[in-house]
Amino acid sequence: MLVLKLIIISYFAYLLVGEVTNGTLNFDSTFFIFMGVGFFAQVIDGALGMAYGVSCTTLLMNFGIPASLASASVHTSEIFTTGISGLSHIKFKNIDKGLFFKIVITGTLGAVLGAYLISDYFDGNIIKPYISAYLILLGCYIIYKGVANKSAQNKTVKKATLLALIGGFLDTIGGGGWGPIVTSNLLSQGKDPREAIGTVNTAEFFITYFATVIFVFFLGVKHWQIILGLITGGALAAPIGAYIASRINKRALFFMVGTLIILTSGYTLYKSVF
């Protein structure tokens, strides 16, 4: 993770030097707005295992940014936020190593394929309503499990590699969804919430890293103010979210995750339909 982060930081530093030299990099209130957005989105994402990509992409599209560029901007910023979040989850021992290696490879393959298709061929907005409807139902089930106190057992997860492949693909196609799809499904199968959230967040670094490589190759890097704002806010918040995940009550986690899925997916469904 550290080596990959060093490579991408060096490349972005090179691009930023060019922007500064050409006088095209300017800062105004947009930077600070998205710094705040990145901070709060990452606190939620680090603590509950989801919502950074969904919330940030939704906001960018409301600003009139096309779906492909919105997804590219969010995934570019997520390289930094998920890297810090992943290292923080490792420090707080929120990781299931066996599950991590099951999801990281196929998740990355799915994300790369999705990034390639949305960059050149596919409109990710087409599939969003169907995924949102599915997630609303899953969110209700997760709340039920938390209320019924059925989260005590840390069960073995079935079909984790296939789940990660689908989650990675839909994440880049829809501008977010790795956390809601993978974390929520792991929880619905009885996985310990702390380990599910920590493992999915750590694997997300690799998913976003290689998806961003595809985005940069096809679309380049645009909207620097937004990207830098999201990176700065998210980087500050990442350790806080990981700490919260390591301390919070399991039943409370189930309830908050389920509620968050219903709210974000409901809003996405509403925007897609109306």
Side-chain angles (χ1 to χ4, degrees):
M1 289 175 71
L2 292 172
V3 170
L4 290 175
K5 281 175 71 66
L6 182 61
I7 292 171
I8 201 69
I9 287 171
S10 300
Y11 178 67
F12 283 155
Y14 167 75
L15 293 180
L16 277 172
V17 168
E19 294 283 330
V20 173
T21 303
N22 296 331
T24 55
L25 182 64
N26 300 306
F27 288 96
D28 54 29
S29 59
T30 302
F31 171 81
F32 296 101
I33 290 172
F34 280 93
M35 181 177 171
V37 170
F39 182 90
F40 288 107
Q42 185 56 45
V43 167
I44 296 170
D45 189 88
L48 303 184
M50 64 190 70
Y52 183 90
V54 173
S55 56
C56 291
T57 302
T58 300
L59 184 61
L60 289 178
M61 292 177 67
N62 285 336
F63 270 71
I65 296 174
S68 58
L69 289 177
S71 184
S73 298
V74 171
H75 280 83
T76 301
S77 66
E78 279 188 306
I79 288 179
F80 300 89
T81 59
T82 56
I84 297 172
S85 180
L87 293 172
S88 300
H89 279 296
I90 293 171
K91 174 179 173 56
F92 292 119
K93 301 185 183 343
N94 297 339
I95 306 294
D96 180 333
K97 293 181 181 178
L99 178 61
F100 171 82
F101 287 108
K102 285 182 181 179
I103 67 175
V104 69
I105 296 174
T106 54
T108 300
L109 290 174
V112 168
L113 177 61
Y116 171 71
L117 291 177
I118 197 174
S119 295
D120 251 4
Y121 301 104
F122 193 74
D123 182 1
N125 294 325
I126 295 174
I127 201 171
K128 270 191 174 183
Y130 303 99
I131 300 302
S132 298
Y134 163 73
L135 288 173
I136 290 172
L137 294 176
L138 199 55
C140 293
Y141 179 64
I142 288 170
I143 290 177
Y144 162 74
K145 291 197 64 152
V147 172
N149 197 24
K150 294 186 177 182
S151 59
Q153 293 182 342
N154 189 11
K155 298 180 181 179
T156 301
V157 177
K158 299 177 181 179
K159 299 181 180 179
T161 53
L162 178 60
L163 174 63
L165 179 68
I166 296 170
F169 177 78
L170 294 177
D171 182 74
T172 46
I173 284 289
W178 169 256
I181 292 168
V182 180
T183 303
S184 56
N185 273 281
L186 294 180
L187 292 177
S188 71
Q189 293 188 47
K191 185 64 183 173
D192 177 81
R194 178 177 62 83
E195 290 187 354
I197 290 168
T199 304
V200 171
N201 261 253
T202 304
E204 189 175 12
F205 167 77
F206 297 92
I207 276 74
T208 56
Y209 188 96
F210 290 102
T212 300
V213 170
I214 302 299
F215 280 130
V216 170
F217 180 79
F218 283 100
L219 302 175
V221 181
K222 301 178 182 179
H223 307 294
W224 275 107
Q225 275 203 89
I226 292 173
I227 292 173
L228 292 176
L230 292 175
I231 289 172
T232 304
L236 293 172
I240 299 173
Y243 177 78
I244 293 172
S246 70
R247 299 294 180 183
I248 199 166
N249 177 271
K250 287 184 181 181
R251 292 187 69 181
L253 267 178
F254 268 85
F255 182 79
M256 287 189 289
V257 169
T259 302
L260 184 63
I261 292 170
I262 293 170
L263 291 175
T264 55
S265 300
Y267 179 74
T268 302
L269 181 61
Y270 172 79
K271 294 292 289 185
S272 299
V273 174
F274 299 103

